[in-house]
Amino acid sequence: MAALTKRSLALHGHRTSLALEPEFWAVIDQAARDRALSLAALIAEIDDNRDPDDALSSSVRIYALTYVQNH
């Protein structure tokens, strides 16, 4: 896998950044397009539904994996 790519976004009104491999970003970008959501809206949804003990980046990777498996 390639090096991490960091993106900045507003999440629940706060600026944050998230670092993922480009392959995961490609899946997340596609999922957002397919669902007609902004990237920030999709990441916020993932954040809202994750276990508080899980890192956001891990939750986004799991979402991307599940998305690919189901499409």
Side-chain angles (χ1 to χ4, degrees), residues 6-19 25 40 43-44 47 50 56:
K6 187 179 278 191
R7 292 195 191 175
S8 296
L9 58 134
L11 188 61
H12 302 298
H14 300 282
R15 296 294 297 170
T16 190
S17 61
L18 186 61
W25 281 123
I43 300 296
D47 185 44
R50 73 183 168 102
L56 179 58

Side-chain angles (χ1 to χ4, degrees), residues 1 9 11 17-18 29 31 33 38-39 42-43 45 47-48 51 53-54 60-62 66 69 71:
M1 282 214 177
L9 58 134
L11 188 61
S17 61
L18 186 61
D29 288 338
R33 281 192 301 273
S38 68
L39 175 63
L42 178 58
I43 300 296
E45 182 180 293
D47 185 44
D48 290 343
D51 185 307
D53 293 331
D54 294 340
V60 172
R61 286 183 181 96
I62 296 297
T66 302
Q69 290 173 332
H71 288 87

